Amino acid sequence: MSTPISLKHLEFFVRIVDCGGLSEAAVQLNVSPSAVSKSLAAMEDTLGTTLIKRTTRSITLTDAGQYLFNRANKLLKEFDETLNTTSGYYHNPQGELRITCSIAFGYSRLVNLVDKYRTQYPDVNLYIDLNDNFVNLNDTDFDIALRISTAPPQNYATRKLVPIRWAYCASPGYLAKKGMPLRRTDLVDHDCLVYPGLTPVLKVADEQDRLHQLKLHMPIQANSSLVLLKSVLEDQGVAYLPTYLIGDHIQKEEITPLMLDGTIACETHTLYALYFPSKYSNPKVRSFIDFLVAELGTLPAWDNWIPG
């Protein structure tokens, strides 16, 4: 072959056959008849065979021409579909979206959110990594990290989603046995289920305003909110837990939130979506974050029980 055959050559050739003549094809292509004729001649010269037999009134495909027409017609259609699909990829969410999230929030909330999201965007498949360790997006291929923090992590683009509140709570069965505490200091008479580093250290001031840590009875300490939730549900004591874990149980009256010193819930953390700014143009990332903002709102469903 002396001259490479391009898609433009194939397009001209297919249009000649579809239109039944060179002049008619030139009109459809908005080029001169000589341009169409030269394109056909170049193809026949390169392939070393006649593709079209021409008379003054009609054209007839040779066997080689018929074969090329069938294949070229299919090829051009597939090429056009490929371009349309590629263009649509950046306008319509599709493909795999990789999310990393803390274990407790992922287990208790993310699965339900993902189900609702996929109802709107069924062409998106999600890979979910539940991990309480901070995942460096620079070192992984995750698209979004959902993180609960007191301050937005640095070095990433962030979207503030909702406040995360915490509350002291116990089961009705436990409270029936041990009584209802009204102040934090009352917890010295209760079984306290503690998450070291997250459960607040309780202190009281003496007559000289010096703070002293209260000595609590802690039958269970665990580095898992899910373990403490299970312990609360089994009447084992009082725990300080995020409301996204206990909200549904409160509304089902399986757990009772405790009003201690006039406070029933404390807003201490925020749920953030972390991502690279360059990835926000990706419709999967943008649509999922926008979905979370709309779905969670200013007061997420799990906090509906909190008095206004």
Side-chain angles (χ1 to χ4, degrees), residues 29-218:
L29 293 166
N30 197 28
V31 298
S32 66
S34 64
V36 176
S37 179
K38 288 179 180 178
S39 176
L40 177 60
M43 286 184 63
E44 291 180 329
D45 180 63
T46 298
L47 294 172
T49 186
T50 300
L51 300 173
I52 293 177
K53 292 180 180 179
R54 286 171 282 177
T55 67
T56 55
R57 294 187 177 183
S58 64
I59 62 170
T60 304
L61 287 171
T62 64
D63 289 344
Q66 185 65 57
Y67 173 79
L68 179 62
F69 172 75
N70 293 338
R71 299 300 296 269
N73 199 34
K74 181 180 179 181
L75 175 64
L76 290 172
K77 287 181 180 179
E78 290 180 349
F79 182 69
D80 188 54
E81 289 174 2
T82 299
L83 294 180
N84 289 334
T85 300
T86 303
S87 175
Y89 176 80
Y90 287 99
H91 296 88
N92 303 306
Q94 56 187 286
E96 184 177 73
L97 178 64
R98 298 176 65 85
I99 300 172
T100 179
C101 177
S102 63
I103 295 173
F105 187 84
Y107 175 80
S108 62
R109 296 296 168 182
L110 185 57
V111 172
N112 180 256
L113 290 169
V114 162
D115 182 54
K116 292 182 178 179
Y117 170 77
R118 291 201 69 255
T119 299
Q120 298 181 29
Y121 303 102
D123 293 330
V124 177
N125 301 317
L126 288 98
Y127 178 92
I128 299 172
D129 170 76
L130 298 186
N131 194 327
D132 284 335
N133 296 321
F134 184 82
V135 175
N136 188 342
L137 295 180
N138 291 303
D139 299 332
T140 64
D141 58 354
F142 290 108
D143 299 303
I144 299 172
L146 297 179
R147 283 292 174 260
I148 295 171
S149 175
T150 55
Q154 302 299 312
N155 304 322
Y156 301 105
T158 62
R159 186 79 174 269
K160 183 177 180 179
L161 298 176
V162 287
I164 297 297
R165 300 171 176 87
W166 294 64
Y168 286 96
C169 62
S171 68
Y174 171 85
L175 295 173
K177 292 185 296 183
K178 294 282 189 173
M180 176 75 73
L182 300 177
R183 296 173 295 274
R184 287 177 175 83
T185 53
D186 292 343
L187 294 180
V188 297
D189 298 321
H190 285 267
D191 298 328
C192 296
L193 313 174
V194 173
Y195 192 137
L198 284 180
T199 301
V201 175
L202 301 183
K203 296 181 179 181
V204 293
D206 61 19
E207 295 178 353
Q208 286 76 41
D209 288 329
R210 292 175 298 188
L211 294 177
H212 300 276
Q213 182 175 336
L214 289 177
K215 293 183 179 180
L216 302 176
H217 179 234
M218 300 181 289

Side-chain angles (χ1 to χ4, degrees), residues 104 108 148 164-171 187 192-196 198-200 220 222-234 237-247 249-250 254-258 260 264-269 302-303 305-306:
S108 62
I148 295 171
I164 297 297
R165 300 171 176 87
W166 294 64
Y168 286 96
C169 62
S171 68
L187 294 180
C192 296
L193 313 174
V194 173
Y195 192 137
L198 284 180
T199 301
I220 296 177
N223 66 341
S224 167
S225 296
L226 293 174
V227 169
L228 298 184
L229 172 63
K230 180 68 172 176
S231 300
V232 169
L233 289 169
E234 294 185 357
V238 175
Y240 185 73
L241 291 172
T243 57
Y244 64 76
L245 268 186
I246 61 176
H249 296 289
I250 289 173
E254 297 169 343
I255 286 179
T256 302
L258 305 179
L260 301 180
I264 199 166
C266 299
E267 184 179 316
T268 58
H269 294 68
W302 61 75
D303 281 345
W305 58 272
I306 298 177

